[in-house]
Amino acid sequence: MVKTNKGDFTADAAIVTLPLGVLKSGTVKFSPALSEEKQAAIARLDMGVLNKVVLKFPKVFWPENREVFGYVSENQQDFTDFFSMTPYTEAPILIAFTGGSFARSLENLSSEEIVEKAMAVLRRAYGNGIPEPVGVARTRWNADPFSFGSYSYIPVGATTGDRKVLAEPAGSNLFFAGEATSAKYPSTVHGAFLSGIRESDRIKNNF
Ligand SMILES: Cc1cc2nc3c(=O)[nH]c(=O)nc-3n(C[C@H](O)[C@H](O)[C@H](O)COP(=O)(O)OP(=O)(O)OC[C@H]3O[C@@H](n4cnc5c(N)ncnc54)[C@H](O)[C@@H]3O)c2cc1C
């Protein structure tokens, strides 16, 4: 039985595809509790953060024939990767990718503060004459209560074996899928997709 704020659902079997970050947060309770081995694997694995900052400009000021460009900063906590969306949208849009502790720190800043940090890098690269953005959108994957991070990784002290433990069924009717359970293709869409097939096959063969 799955109890939710939209009612209770019962079935012969269930597949849990909650992100690792949600499993780690404890916001979803299991009864009976998950095995100590599974809880330990959940505790050892961790969620990394990859956040995007989308900037829309009045015009393109970067080389139009470049889709990706990097900035090697003296400062580790800085914007380093920009992707031009112009080839796909025909609009003057850059997306900055940010990772790790820098990405986490940006989540506490206002959009104005983030724009100022990104513009400081772009001005260093393209000069003070570049235009200000006319629109900004940003992700906050670490704070998102439905993910608590972007995708899983193996920190010091964890192993691929922890992903295999996470993928094991709990009892005879509770199954686990999602990118963090994929030993072969973790942190990817195809890893998540294939893990769903893996678990539906397991149910098909067990019932
Ligand atoms: C910025 C970024 C860039 C990425 N780039 C790539 C890429 O280029 N290529 C690639 O292959 N992968 C990429 N990934 C990774 C990929 O998106 C994930 O690995 C994949 O989406 C994981 O799928 P999943 O089904 O395991 O989890 P999710 O897609 O996170 O699905 C989990 C679902 O559970 C729901 N949920 C969570 N909590 C609850 C709750 N309490 N109650 C009910 N529902 C809940 C969520 O809303 C969500 O719908 C990227 C991820 C990010 C964040």
Side-chain angles (χ1 to χ4, degrees):
M1 176 184 282
V2 182
K3 291 176 179 265
T4 80
N5 59 0
K6 295 200 168 74
D8 298 345
F9 300 86
T10 53
D12 293 333
I15 303 178
V16 177
T17 65
L18 293 168
L20 175 71
V22 174
L23 291 174
K24 289 178 82 68
S25 74
T27 53
V28 176
K29 307 274 180 241
F30 290 88
S31 176
L34 299 177
S35 69
E36 281 183 18
E37 200 190 9
K38 206 185 257 296
Q39 290 188 47
I42 290 169
R44 276 192 296 268
L45 293 167
D46 214 348
M47 285 293 270
V49 181
L50 177 69
N51 271 326
K52 293 180 183 173
V53 178
V54 185
L55 300 169
K56 185 174 185 186
F57 292 92
K59 64 173 188 180
V60 172
F61 58 82
W62 54 93
E64 291 206 36
N65 60 349
R66 292 278 186 278
E67 291 185 23
V68 184
F69 46 96
Y71 179 79
V72 182
S73 177
E74 290 172 355
N75 192 348
Q76 203 185 8
Q77 299 281 308
D78 212 347
F79 284 88
T80 52
D81 298 294
F82 293 87
F83 291 69
S84 169
M85 290 297 113
T86 311
Y88 312 108
T89 62
E90 293 179 8
I93 293 173
L94 290 179
I95 300 185
F97 280 37
T98 65
S101 57
F102 180 58
R104 278 195 180 84
S105 71
L106 291 183
E107 294 199 9
N108 300 320
L109 300 185
S110 67
S111 293
E112 292 74 25
E113 288 169 313
I114 289 179
V115 166
E116 195 35 57
K117 276 182 181 289
M119 288 305 290
V121 168
L122 290 170
R123 278 190 212 105
R124 265 178 261 155
Y126 293 108
N128 289 333
I130 62 173
E132 289 291 318
V134 292
V136 57
R138 33 92 68 100
T139 60
R140 278 194 179 100
W141 287 112
N142 200 45
D144 189 318
F146 296 111
S147 56
F148 289 120
S150 297
Y151 41 78
S152 66
Y153 73 97
I154 298 181
V156 174
T159 68
T160 298
D162 289 320
R163 296 192 184 282
K164 292 180 181 162
V165 170
L166 187 58
E168 283 169 11
S172 58
N173 54 8
L174 191 62
F175 301 86
F176 289 79
E179 61 82 13
T181 71
S182 170
K184 207 169 177 187
Y185 306 111
S187 319
T188 65
V189 169
H190 48 289
F193 177 76
L194 292 171
S195 75
I197 293 175
R198 181 194 69 214
E199 294 311 309
S200 58
D201 280 347
R202 204 194 303 255
I203 291 174
K204 199 171 64 186
N205 296 332
N206 284 356
F207 277 72

